[in-house]
Each structure stands twice: as C-alpha cells, then as structure tokens.
Amino acid sequence: MQLAHPHLLWLLTLLIPIIVWYVMRQRGAHPSIAVSSTDPFASMPRSWKQYLRHFLFVLRLGAIAALIVVLARPQQKDKWSTSSTEGTDIVLALDISGSMYARDFNPNRFEAAKAVASQFIQGRESDNIGLVIFAGESLTGMPMTVDRTQLLSYLEGVQIGMLEDGTAIGDGIATSLNRLKEGKAKSKSIILLTDGSNNTGIVAPLSAAEVAKEMDVKIYTIGIGTNGMAPYPVQNAFGRIEYQPQKVEIDEATLRSIADNTGGKYFRAVDNNALVDIFSEIDALEKTQMDIKVFSHTDDNYMMWAWLAFGLFALEMLLRYLFLRPIP
C-alpha cells in the first residue's frame, strides 16, 4: 500500500496538543454539589461510567486520525511486473519516387508503406528513430528523436513529389548513416524501403553498404511490389495521370547484397499483409533487451479508513447520548 499524499500524515501531530488540552481540562473538571458536608460520600466507590467517559475521547481521536489517513489517499497497487524494452537507433529510409503511386497495394504502395511504418514507430517506445526520404535525391526528414508525436506527424505529411523524381538508393543510405554516426546506442540499423533500382544519385548503393558495415550498422532492405505486372501512374498527352500495367522491376540482387553485407536481411513485400509481416519480423529482430520494473495497476483504497472513521464517530455518539449522558 502507498499514499498519494503522504505529507498530509503530518496532520496526525495535531493530536498531541488535543491530548494535552484534554488532560489539562480534566484536572479541573470535578462534579460538585452544594451540601453542608461531603463526608457521607467519601467512602462511595467510583462508577465504571466515570472511567468509561475517557474512552469517548479515545474514540474521537481515532476518528480524526482515520479521516487524516483518508485525506492522504491510501492506494493499492496490484503487483510489480518486470518487462523488457528496446533501446536502439533506427533510421527509416523511405522511397518517395513517383512509382510508389503504383496500385498493386491498397490504396497504393506509398500509403501502405506509411501506414505500416507508423505502426512500427508507435511500437518502438524506447528507441531513437529518424526518418530519411529519398527519390532522385535524399533528405533528412526527421533527425534521431524519441518524440513519437513529432515523428509521426512529419511522416503523415510526407508526400510524393517533395523531391526530384528518381531512385537514389545509395544516397538514401548515406544520409541515413550520417544520422546514425552520432548515436550512442549499441545497436544501430537502417530500414530501407524501395520499389525500384538505383538509377541516379552520387553514392553507389554497395559503396554505401561498405561504409555501413564499417560503422557496424545493419541494413534491412524491403523491395515493395507485387510479382509480374502492376498499375503504374503515367502522364498522358493532356497532362493527366493514368494507370497502365507495367512490369514490376526491383533490383533484388543489389538489395539482397546490401542486407547480407551489413548483417541485415532482405525482404520482398508483394501485398499489404506481407508488408505488415515484414515490419513485425524486423521489430522482433532489432531488439536490445533491458529489464524495467513497472506497475500493472493502481486503485484508491481509502474506503476502509472512511468506514473506520464513521464507525468510531458513531460509537462515540451512541455511548455519549445513550449510556454516558451527563447530568445537567
């Protein structure tokens, strides 16, 4: 049991001056009667009621003490529980090239990736997570942070077209490594999601992977796109976007080499469910265990003291006005 306001127990010290006042008051409180002589009463025994009247004061003190405990709000905690949490540095590198509009995912690859990434971020409460977006170039969307609200808000606002079109996988990895190099966590990793092959940028993907290996950073690569054909956005002669079936081409060999060289793993996501399963697997793989002690539940537990205060006060009133009534 614990108290929500333990400092209020200092009020119990007020009982001391109350007791002193009662003792001093009783010294001069003697019944008297006007008679010529009290000698006939000198040998009379004292009644048990004379001693019991002090018990009324004890009951009053008990009621006051119980009320003070109620004000301090006793609380009962169900139990202590020990659980494990993770503390790693992770950068999400998200491809925002125009091909991510392809509708072989629901509603499209880009929105599906954002939704699953958001769920992943919400589940990593003890991690430093950063966000890098890349297309024809790369950009740090959010530096390493533990602020989930800010990170999720930025991810929600990311849109295709924020960067020049193209797929610069190597640049995306290089920018992610720059975010991780100052991190203090023992475990560092990059989750790179793309639907194509490297066709632009300054840094070659395998060269970036070699740097990641030297920095002891794992890279988990995800190739997103169904097998075969998929409806891709194409601009027609009137400038309008139409969707036409095109062959899905993902440089799986390069993505697999990046993952293998850095101790990570390559995944292929062919639909929404597969993408969810991939992030769940990465979530299970990328953990640094730390034991923490937490409470499972807390309830106020003051009713017993409230009833005790009421019972003591009621008993005092019952004795005072039924059995120990003073004679006027």
Side-chain angles (χ1 to χ4, degrees):
M1 186 184 74
Q2 69 172 23
L3 299 174
H5 308 295
H7 59 281
L8 292 180
L9 292 183
W10 285 102
L11 294 174
L12 292 174
T13 60
L14 296 177
L15 299 181
I16 297 176
I18 295 176
I19 294 173
V20 173
W21 169 82
Y22 181 80
V23 172
M24 298 298 294
R25 180 172 177 269
Q26 292 301 312
R27 286 183 176 180
H30 298 290
S32 60
I33 185 172
V35 294
S36 59
S37 175
T38 60
D39 292 338
F41 303 98
S43 60
M44 291 183 62
R46 293 190 175 186
S47 170
W48 60 271
K49 291 185 178 182
Q50 186 176 354
Y51 296 99
L52 189 60
R53 63 188 178 87
H54 299 296
F55 182 61
L56 299 179
F57 177 68
V58 175
L59 292 177
R60 179 67 62 88
L61 288 179
I64 294 173
L67 285 175
I68 292 174
V69 174
V70 170
L71 292 176
R73 284 184 60 195
Q75 294 178 328
Q76 183 69 39
K77 290 190 174 181
D78 290 344
K79 61 180 180 180
W80 284 97
S81 63
T82 301
S83 61
S84 295
T85 186
E86 301 77 49
T88 66
D89 288 346
I90 301 174
V91 171
L92 293 174
L94 178 62
D95 186 347
I96 63 168
S97 59
S99 58
M100 288 289 286
Y101 270 136
R103 293 182 174 176
D104 49 350
F105 282 65
N106 183 28
N108 55 51
R109 295 174 182 174
F110 180 65
E111 293 298 333
K114 284 175 58 176
V116 178
S118 295
Q119 292 181 345
F120 177 82
I121 291 170
Q122 293 177 42
R124 307 289 299 195
E125 296 182 355
S126 302
D127 296 326
N128 274 314
I129 301 179
L131 178 64
V132 168
I133 56 176
F134 67 93
E137 53 187 338
S138 63
L139 174 70
T140 299
M142 183 66 63
M144 306 301 296
T145 180
V146 294
D147 189 339
R148 298 291 172 269
T149 302
Q150 187 177 10
L151 181 59
L152 290 170
S153 177
Y154 181 85
L155 178 60
E156 179 65 26
V158 172
Q159 298 295 329
I160 292 176
M162 293 175 66
L163 300 175
E164 181 183 349
D165 204 15
T167 306
I169 295 175
D171 287 9
I173 295 174
T175 302
S176 300
L177 291 174
N178 283 332
R179 302 285 69 76
L180 289 169
K181 66 182 181 181
E182 302 297 334
K184 305 299 183 182
K186 294 181 179 179
S187 176
K188 300 179 181 181
S189 59
I190 298 171
I191 302 175
L192 184 141
L193 190 149
T194 182
D195 67 343
S197 57
N198 192 80
N199 56 25
T200 187
I202 300 173
V203 183
L206 294 180
S207 298
E210 287 298 325
V211 177
K213 183 178 180 180
E214 294 176 2
M215 293 175 59
D216 196 24
V217 175
K218 296 179 183 178
I219 302 179
Y220 298 93
T221 54
I222 303 173
I224 180 170
T226 189
N227 293 314
M229 307 291 288
Y232 279 82
V234 177
Q235 192 173 31
N236 61 21
F238 301 99
R240 297 177 180 176
I241 298 297
E242 296 180 348
Y243 287 86
Q244 297 179 2
Q246 296 184 19
K247 183 176 176 57
V248 177
E249 295 182 357
I250 300 175
D251 190 356
E252 293 191 278
T254 299
L255 294 178
R256 185 175 284 108
S257 295
I258 293 171
D260 292 342
N261 291 342
T262 59
K265 190 174 181 179
Y266 169 69
F267 302 91
R268 177 66 182 270
V270 296
D271 55 35
N272 292 65
N273 292 332
L275 188 59
V276 172
D277 293 340
I278 289 168
F279 269 87
S280 296
E281 185 173 345
I282 294 174
D283 183 53
L285 289 171
E286 205 45 44
K287 290 182 183 292
T288 299
Q289 298 296 329
M290 298 186 298
D291 289 336
I292 57 173
K293 203 172 185 182
V294 296
F295 280 116
S296 59
H297 189 64
T298 301
D299 281 323
D300 285 337
N301 190 28
Y302 58 82
M303 287 305 298
M304 176 186 71
W305 296 96
W307 281 111
L308 177 61
F310 175 77
L312 292 175
F313 182 75
L315 180 60
E316 181 200 353
M317 294 296 101
L318 183 68
L319 293 176
R320 183 180 299 275
Y321 294 105
L322 291 183
F323 301 100
L324 301 174
R325 293 178 63 184
I327 299 174

